[in-house]
């Protein structure tokens, strides 16, 4: 489960911030007066749409049809009364969520279909590049260390790139950012294909691709809320991209290995370059060009990379939610990191090891698919905290050194609890202000990838001194304690709770 949250490795920034929904039972709001922001663009999903029709105006009974009354003529010289805004879902191209729609609702949005296909192509390109580069470097140097270093360089630049580049996600139009990142990665991959590129140059190019990856992921995650709204469609769209990332990792390594039986490593990397180019073309032609998010925000946004960190960790609720997205995955990667030595200890073969390696991601995909397609938004919200609290409990079976069948069931069960991330996504997007959404999402994916790498490294270091099953059991205990502590803080910061913080605001730009 080492996939970034938006993986939640594209979309477009907002034309204007998504407005909160009208109160239930309220009459349709009048059109905005002069000077207010424009209405949401046609084709976007209304924020927090539930799929039900608007409530009748006060005083009208169920099913009754009020008698029309003639409108009085306007007074001489007065401006005409503003026309009421259309109800959610009434405009052409808008999407209304119906019972049983599940993930189909997001595919009704034309822009999301382009985003989805671009995501799939670029992700498969990344996975194929990872396996091809390790083979290419190993054949060129004969060094297992250099081959492993090539793979590790896909993770190491995340922290630096995500921190330094995060402000760009809000200060420039998202389509421009996403297309530029894709073109840069395509150029790097094409340079790797060149026969004269030395191994040192390949490593530098690999770092450059990883350096811009968190910016791409953050800009895409933020723009999903502008394409789909900040309601259920956003939650399902983000979940769908995350599941695709999990599945692409499983299929991509197999596809990469198959390609290498027919193509040289450089030939496989050429397909990676083609995938990035196709992704850039899809995003350029299939998504709207909207202005930068910072330009449409009501307050100035500081340009310093530290402003995003101050905004995230300066607000108590957003800080707790961020840590709840960061820390549990750092413990969840421990059983994956130590599956090889554990399988050796219990005498399992390579085929059994392969099946065990697939258990957690398969369980995670199944859990999210169930939560997104079979549960209502209210139910998903209710199960978020309980599922997060018990996520590591199945891993306690490691304490008795189980055999492969029992271990397979425990890993699948632990993966199924990943369904809680669907509800967590909704909490997170509700807590993040529009003006900071891009940089906050960039920092979210940066911290997620970085801490998962740290978790793997610490697990490997601990396994040098302790048996693998002891390390995994300890990680499960510590992970459960951390999650319970964070859930306690989340309850304390819930809207309406005593002492809950006020809404987070964007920092003012420095004079």
């Amino acid at each position: 489960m080492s996939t970034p949250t938006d993986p939640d490795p594209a979309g477009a920034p907002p034309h204007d911030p998504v407005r909160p929904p009208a109160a239930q039972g309220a009459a349709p709001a009048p059109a905005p007066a002069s000077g207010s922001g424009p209405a949401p663009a046609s084709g976007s999903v209304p924020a927090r749409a539930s799929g039900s029709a608007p409530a009748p105006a006060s005083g009208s009974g169920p099913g009754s049809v009020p008698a029309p009354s003639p409108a009085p003529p306007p007074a001489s010289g007065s401006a005409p009364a503003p026309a009421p805004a259309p109800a959610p879902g009434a405009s052409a191209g808008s999407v209304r969520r119906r019972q049983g729609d599940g993930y189909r609702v997001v595919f009704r949005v034309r822009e999301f279909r382009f985003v989805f296909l671009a995501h799939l192509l670029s992700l498969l390109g990344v996975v194929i590049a990872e396996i091809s580069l390790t083979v290419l470097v190993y054949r060129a140097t004969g060094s297992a260390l250099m081959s492993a270093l090539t793979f590790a360089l896909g993770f190491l630049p995340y922290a630096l790139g995500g921190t330094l580049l995060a402000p760009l996600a809000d200060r420039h139009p998202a389509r421009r950012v996403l297309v530029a990142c894709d073109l840069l990665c395509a150029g790097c991959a094409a340079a790797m294909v060149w026969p004269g590129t030395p191994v040192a140059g390949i490593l530098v190019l690999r770092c450059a691709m990883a350096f811009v990856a968190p910016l791409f992921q953050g800009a895409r995650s933020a723009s999903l809320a502008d394409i789909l709204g900040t309601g259920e469609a956003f939650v399902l769209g983000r979940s769908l991209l995350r599941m695709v990332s999990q599945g692409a990792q499983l299929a991509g390594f197999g596809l990469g290995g198959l390609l290498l039986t027919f193509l040289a490593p450089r030939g496989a990397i050429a397909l990676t370059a083609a995938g990035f180019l196709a992704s850039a073309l899809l995003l350029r032609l299939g998504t709207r060009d909207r202005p930068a998010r910072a330009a449409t925000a009501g307050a100035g946004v500081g340009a310093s990379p530290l402003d995003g960190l101050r905004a995230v960790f300066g607000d108590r609720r957003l800080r707790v939610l961020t840590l709840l997205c960061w820390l549990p995955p750092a413990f969840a990667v421990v059983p994956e990191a130590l599956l090889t030595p554990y399988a050796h200890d219990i005498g399992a073969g390579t085929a059994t090891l392969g099946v065990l390696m697939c258990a957690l991601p398969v369980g995670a995909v199944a859990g999210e698919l169930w939560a997104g397609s079979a549960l209502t938004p209210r139910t998903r919200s209710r199960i978020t905290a309980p599922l997060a609290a018990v996520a590591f409990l199945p891993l306690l079976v490691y304490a008795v050194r189980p055999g492969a069948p029992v271990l397979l069931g425990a890993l699948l069960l632990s993966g199924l609890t990943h369904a809680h991330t669907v509800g967590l996504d909704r909490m997170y997007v509700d807590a993040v202000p529009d003006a900071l959404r891009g940089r906050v999402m960039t920092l979210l994916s940066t911290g997620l990838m970085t801490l998962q790498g740290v978790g793997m490294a610490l697990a490997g270091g601990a396994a040098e001194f302790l048996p693998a099953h002891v390390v995994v059991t300890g990680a499960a205990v510590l992970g459960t304690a951390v999650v319970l502590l964070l859930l306690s803080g989340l309850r304390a910061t819930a809207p309406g709770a005593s002492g809950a913080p006020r809404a987070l605001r964007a920092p003012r730009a420095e004079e």
Side-chain angles (χ1 to χ4, degrees), residues 8-438:
D8 284 235
H15 184 61
D16 60 287
V18 178
R19 293 183 177 83
Q24 185 175 0
S34 175
S36 64
S42 174
S44 62
V45 179
R48 299 170 179 82
S50 62
S52 60
S58 176
S60 60
S64 63
V65 180
S69 57
S76 176
S78 62
S91 59
S94 61
V95 176
R96 177 175 294 180
R97 178 173 169 82
R98 297 188 295 264
Q99 183 68 27
D101 272 348
Y103 290 97
R104 288 177 294 182
V105 67
V106 297
F107 286 108
R108 297 193 192 122
V109 181
R110 177 181 178 273
E111 284 186 274
F112 180 80
R113 295 196 294 268
F114 281 86
V115 169
F116 178 83
L117 185 55
H119 173 67
L120 181 60
L121 289 175
S122 62
L123 187 60
L124 284 174
V126 168
V127 176
I128 292 173
E130 286 176 349
I131 187 172
S132 301
L133 283 173
T134 56
V135 174
L136 176 63
V137 172
Y138 182 75
R139 290 181 181 178
T141 63
S143 170
L145 175 61
M146 293 299 294
S147 178
L149 180 61
T150 304
F151 187 81
L153 286 176
F155 297 89
L156 296 180
Y158 254 79
L160 184 61
T163 302
L164 295 180
L165 301 180
L168 300 180
D170 291 317
R171 299 189 68 83
H172 295 279
R175 188 177 75 173
R176 186 183 306 169
V177 171
L178 294 170
V179 171
C181 289
D182 268 341
L183 292 178
L184 176 62
C185 290
C188 291
M192 293 176 185
V193 176
W194 189 258
T197 305
V199 171
I202 290 176
L203 297 181
V204 171
L205 293 169
R206 183 71 181 96
C207 285
M209 294 172 67
F211 187 75
V212 300
L215 173 61
F216 181 92
Q217 293 170 3
R220 183 196 55 207
S221 296
S223 64
L224 279 182
D226 307 306
I227 294 174
L228 300 174
T230 55
E232 286 308 302
F234 168 82
V235 173
L236 294 176
R238 186 167 161 82
S239 170
L240 184 61
L241 294 186
R242 186 163 49 229
M243 287 191 293
V244 169
S245 298
Q246 294 276 9
Q249 283 192 339
L250 293 174
F253 286 118
L255 179 60
L258 181 63
L259 284 173
L260 290 177
T261 63
F262 301 99
L263 297 174
R266 293 184 189 272
I269 297 172
L271 294 179
T272 296
F276 280 120
L277 285 175
S279 175
L281 185 64
L282 287 168
L283 295 175
R284 177 63 181 81
L285 300 179
T287 59
R288 291 177 52 194
D289 185 19
R290 302 177 177 94
R293 187 170 291 102
T296 61
V301 181
S304 169
L306 295 178
D307 287 332
L309 291 172
R310 294 191 191 103
V312 170
F313 291 100
D315 178 80
R316 186 182 175 192
R317 181 167 179 81
L318 191 55
R319 179 173 66 247
V320 172
L321 284 169
T322 301
L323 293 176
L324 199 54
C325 292
W326 280 358
L327 296 181
F331 293 98
V333 298
V334 174
E336 288 183 300
L338 300 181
L339 262 179
T340 299
Y342 183 84
H344 180 268
D345 290 344
I346 63 174
T350 55
T352 302
L353 174 61
V355 173
L356 292 175
M357 290 291 288
C358 295
L360 271 173
V362 167
V365 170
E368 278 204 62
L369 187 61
W370 166 71
S373 58
L375 302 182
T376 64
R378 185 175 184 181
T379 303
R380 289 200 296 266
S381 177
R382 287 179 172 178
I383 68 172
T384 297
L387 283 183
V390 303
F392 296 109
L393 296 186
L395 301 180
L396 294 178
V397 74
Y398 270 87
V400 297
R401 296 186 73 234
V406 174
L407 182 59
L408 178 64
L411 293 174
L412 283 171
L413 189 58
S414 181
L416 287 171
T417 64
H418 197 67
H420 79 272
T421 57
V422 182
L424 191 60
D425 280 345
R426 180 60 186 268
M427 296 180 190
Y428 204 86
V429 75
D430 286 344
V432 176
D434 293 337
L436 294 177
R437 193 188 304 139

